[in-house]
């Protein structure tokens, strides 16, 4: 259920509606929009009667929400959610570019990656410090040391740091260093983690589980938003299918569909989506054409020596080539790439 206020509704009229929702034993979620404020309602087990709001001023309409995901749905909020980072944003006209290695491996490696990412035009640096690996014997990440190196790279370049949080135990530590907290595909339905992320106010990049339906994915985003953290970015990273020639099957069609169903930004990860460096750029172009709000790309200064995901990692030159091609496709679909700083030459 959703109460849509009139465009001129006053703060006290909004407060009275919120109060009525609380009196009914439900939770109001007030969302100021471009033209009017909407108040989403959660906690009700069945449909609510518009009569429950009788006598209150400033209400335009009381609308039933048909989707099981409520607060993340377009029914509740028509305007796109734009996550603002000052001189960068995700979900607006600007296409967000995120790049960096799968894992942080050393100071040299992450610095070189950050400098290359920035020089090519990215505004976000990705890199895992806590790595959920299929094998317990594989490189698990540098953990807090990796987070410190990411923070150093941010200080040196001004890039925002996107890094994975693997569990609730390390959330506070990771949140101290990260600008965007990534939830990996394997953790999409880790409900304790999602609830904990809902209680903080840092943006969350929620990857789609490798066999999750779109509804399940959006319900996971709802977990975070329902707790009060509205800064959720969805990330399509490919699904496990019968196909073995590609690492995953990128669900490009999910991008326009999810953007239709939800107001949250959708970022594409073609690196995990296909798993083969050579094919990452064409797939990235397809994702941008399909309406992705950004790209997260694995890029390593020397992919052949990467400790994880080298096969799908672009070189710095490959990433720079990707950005140049992406700029043209972005322009064709009404988006633009705003380079981090055209004057910036990188550290020597
Ligand atoms: C990653 O981003 O390196 C990663 C592990 O991704 P995913 O969770 O999508 O597999
Ligand atoms: Mn990876």
């Amino acid at each position: 259920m959703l109460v849509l206020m009139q465009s001129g509704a006053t703060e006290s009229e909004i407060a009275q509606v919120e109060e009525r929702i609380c009196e009914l034993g439900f939770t109001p979620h007030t969302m100021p929009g471009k033209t009017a404020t909407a108040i989403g309602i959660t906690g009700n087990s069945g449909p609510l009667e518009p009569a429950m709001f009788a006598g209150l001023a400033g209400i335009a309409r009381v609308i039933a929400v048909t989707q099981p995901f409520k607060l993340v749905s377009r029914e509740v909020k028509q305007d796109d959610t734009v996550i603002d980072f000052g001189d960068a944003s995700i979900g607006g006209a600007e296409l967000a570019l995120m790049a960096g290695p799968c894992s942080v491996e050393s100071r040299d490696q992450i610095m070189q990656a950050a400098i290359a990412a920035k020089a090519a035009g990215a505004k976000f640096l990705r890199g895992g410090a806590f790595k959920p690996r299929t094998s317990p014997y594989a490189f698990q990440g540098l953990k807090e040391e990796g987070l410190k190196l990411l923070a150093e790279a941010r200080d040196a370049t001004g890039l925002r740091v996107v890094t994975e949080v693997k569990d609730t135990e390390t959330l506070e530590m990771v949140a101290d260093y990260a600008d965007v907290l990534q939830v990996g595909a394997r953790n999409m339905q880790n409900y304790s983690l999602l609830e904990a992320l809902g209680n903080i106010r840092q943006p969350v990049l929620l990857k789609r589980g490798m066999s999750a339906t779109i509804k399940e994915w959006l319900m996971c985003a709802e977990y975070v938003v329902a707790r009060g953290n509205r800064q959720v970015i969805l990330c399509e990273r490919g699904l496990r299918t019968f196909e073995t020639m590609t690492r995953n099957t990128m669900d490009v069609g999910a991008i326009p569909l999810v953007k239709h169903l939800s107001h949250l930004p959708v970022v594409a990860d073609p690196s995990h989506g296909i798993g083969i460096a050579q094919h990452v750029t064409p797939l990235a172009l397809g994702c941008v054409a399909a309406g992705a709000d950004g790209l997260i790309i694995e890029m390593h200064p020397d992919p052949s020596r990467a400790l994880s995901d080298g096969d799908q990692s672009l070189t710095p030159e490959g990433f720079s080539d990707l950005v140049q091609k992406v700029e043209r496709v972005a322009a064709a679909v009404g988006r633009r790439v705003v380079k981090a700083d055209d004057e910036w030459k990188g550290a020597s």
Side-chain angles (χ1 to χ4, degrees):
M1 205 79 171
L2 168 74
V3 178
L4 186 65
M5 301 301 292
Q6 292 166 358
S7 57
T10 63
E11 279 185 21
S12 103
E13 286 167 345
I14 293 169
Q16 280 168 38
V17 174
E18 291 170 336
E19 217 171 284
R20 176 69 55 89
I21 295 167
C22 293
E23 279 164 17
L24 292 165
F26 310 133
T27 310
H29 302 265
T30 304
M31 288 168 282
K34 267 192 201 130
T35 50
T37 293
I39 308 174
I41 304 170
T42 58
N44 52 310
S45 49
L48 302 182
E49 293 302 322
M52 290 170 168
F53 301 97
L56 293 175
I59 294 179
R61 267 181 305 148
V62 179
I63 304 165
V65 179
T66 58
Q67 298 287 5
F69 41 89
K70 310 250 170 242
L71 302 174
V72 307
S73 82
R74 281 260 182 221
E75 289 178 282
V76 165
K77 180 172 180 279
Q78 262 113 62
D79 311 331
D80 289 336
T81 288
V82 181
I83 302 182
D84 187 17
F85 295 85
D87 60 355
S89 66
I90 306 178
E94 179 178 352
L95 189 81
L97 293 180
M98 313 172 177
C102 179
S103 308
V104 181
E105 298 167 3
S106 67
R107 176 177 285 111
D108 257 16
Q109 176 245 20
I110 197 65
M111 281 297 173
Q112 283 181 43
I115 289 166
K118 175 138 186 174
K123 291 200 182 157
F124 297 84
L125 173 67
R126 66 145 290 148
F130 288 90
K131 297 298 302 176
R133 303 302 301 280
T134 305
S135 163
Y137 308 117
F139 177 58
Q140 305 284 315
L142 296 180
K143 309 201 164 80
E144 188 164 15
E145 181 55 26
L147 296 173
K148 287 186 177 155
L149 294 175
L150 283 166
E152 272 186 44
R154 169 177 49 211
D155 291 345
T157 58
L159 294 176
R160 271 86 179 159
V161 165
V162 183
T163 195
E164 178 159 356
V165 56
K166 201 159 70 64
D167 46 45
T168 48
E169 291 84 345
T170 52
L171 171 57
E172 211 179 303
M173 183 203 293
V174 179
D176 276 347
Y177 295 93
D179 297 292
V180 177
L181 293 154
Q182 173 177 324
V183 176
R186 290 156 191 79
N187 252 330
M188 184 198 81
Q189 286 177 305
N190 179 339
Y191 297 114
S192 313
L193 182 59
L194 298 176
E195 285 172 357
L197 287 163
N199 293 334
I200 62 172
R201 292 293 170 269
Q202 258 151 302
V204 173
L205 182 120
L206 179 64
K207 288 197 153 196
R208 181 177 180 182
M210 57 186 84
S211 40
T213 64
I214 288 172
K215 196 198 275 181
E216 287 165 344
W217 185 21
L218 290 173
M219 292 304 277
C220 290
E222 186 83 8
Y223 261 85
V224 181
V225 177
R227 292 257 170 166
N229 187 355
R230 298 198 182 144
Q231 305 207 84
V232 176
I233 304 146
L234 298 163
C235 177
E236 169 59 51
R237 48 77 74 203
L239 303 171
R240 173 165 294 187
T241 68
F242 55 81
E243 183 54 71
T244 55
M245 296 275 238
T246 51
R247 179 175 179 186
N248 289 295
T249 299
M250 189 69 174
D251 190 1
V252 179
I255 297 168
L257 179 56
V258 169
K259 287 203 61 73
H260 169 75
L261 293 171
S262 173
H263 52 83
L264 296 176
V266 181
V267 160
D269 174 354
S271 305
H272 292 85
I274 194 153
I276 307 162
Q278 191 187 352
H279 304 304
V280 167
T281 295
L283 182 55
L285 299 179
C287 294
V288 173
D293 294 296
L295 294 169
I296 182 162
I297 303 290
E298 288 193 339
M299 180 261 279
H300 192 287
D302 185 355
S304 65
R305 290 177 189 273
L307 296 182
S308 60
D309 287 352
D311 290 348
Q312 65 193 36
S313 298
L314 298 185
T315 59
E317 299 70 37
F319 178 64
S320 168
D321 172 69
L322 174 147
V323 175
Q324 285 166 44
K325 290 177 172 149
V326 158
E327 280 187 283
R328 303 212 292 274
V329 174
V333 292
R335 308 299 285 267
R336 62 200 149 82
V337 172
V338 183
K339 297 259 176 91
D341 181 353
D342 289 339
E343 297 303 308
W344 198 85
K345 301 284 191 294
S348 52

